[in-house]
Amino acid sequence: MQIICIASLQYICYYANHLHMTLRITQKRQQILDVLKSHHGTLSAADIHKHLPEIDLATVYRNLDLFVKEKLIKQIHLGTEESQYEYQNIPHHHAVCVDCEKVIHFTAPDKKIKKLLGLEDFQVDEIEVTVRGICSHEK
């Protein structure tokens, strides 16, 4: 979001800045985002830290929390102890194999999912589906 201020409208610009958080992209934040964007699939904070050892792990966690809050990335709980993070350029869902922990990405029409849920007096803002089962991996 870009806010352009005109001298006579300074108050309005100040008000607009406080209604919507403006996220300053620092070099470290950009590096974290770049790792997520370049990786197909999910990464834990520890995985990201392995790619960027010069950035403190606590800083990685703080920025991931901020990115999730600002909806730049998704935080996904796939059944492992550690949260996974993913940059999704196309919204999708996940199927997790409980045997080999393979994660399969799939799409499903949100309109059909909403209809299936049958939540008439509920506004659905976001749908996140994680399916667990066993894939057809080699044994």
Side-chain angles (χ1 to χ4, degrees), residues 83-99:
S83 291
Q84 300 289 306
Y85 300 89
E86 182 177 52
Y87 176 81
Q88 292 185 354
N89 53 351
I90 299 172
H92 61 270
H93 306 287
H94 302 92
V96 181
C97 178
V98 296
D99 195 19

Side-chain angles (χ1 to χ4, degrees), residues 56-114:
D56 184 62
L57 184 58
T59 301
V60 172
Y61 274 109
R62 247 189 335 271
N63 282 288
L64 290 172
D65 288 344
L66 179 63
F67 295 157
V68 168
K69 182 180 175 188
E70 291 297 313
K71 298 188 181 207
L72 291 174
I73 63 171
K74 292 263 192 184
Q75 181 178 22
I76 301 164
H77 304 281
L78 297 175
T80 59
E81 289 183 21
E82 194 171 0
S83 291
Q84 300 289 306
Y85 300 89
E86 182 177 52
Y87 176 81
Q88 292 185 354
N89 53 351
I90 299 172
H92 61 270
H93 306 287
H94 302 92
V96 181
C97 178
V98 296
D99 195 19
C100 72
E101 297 183 4
K102 178 180 180 180
V103 178
I104 301 166
H105 302 265
F106 68 94
T107 58
D110 283 357
K111 281 185 176 183
K112 287 186 179 181
I113 294 172
K114 286 179 186 178

Side-chain angles (χ1 to χ4, degrees), residues 6-16:
I6 301 170
S8 64
L9 300 176
Q10 285 179 348
Y11 174 76
I12 294 171
C13 293
Y14 174 82
Y15 183 70

Side-chain angles (χ1 to χ4, degrees), residues 18-64:
H18 286 81
L19 280 179
H20 303 285
M21 183 179 165
T22 54
L23 181 63
R24 188 169 62 94
I25 301 296
T26 63
Q27 182 180 3
K28 289 179 182 179
R29 287 179 180 163
Q30 187 62 59
Q31 289 175 307
I32 294 168
L33 282 173
D34 288 345
V35 167
L36 285 164
K37 285 181 180 181
S38 67
H39 184 73
H40 177 72
T42 62
L43 291 171
S44 68
D47 294 332
I48 295 167
H49 185 255
K50 286 177 191 172
H51 284 87
L52 303 168
E54 69 279 4
I55 299 177
D56 184 62
L57 184 58
T59 301
V60 172
Y61 274 109
R62 247 189 335 271
N63 282 288
L64 290 172

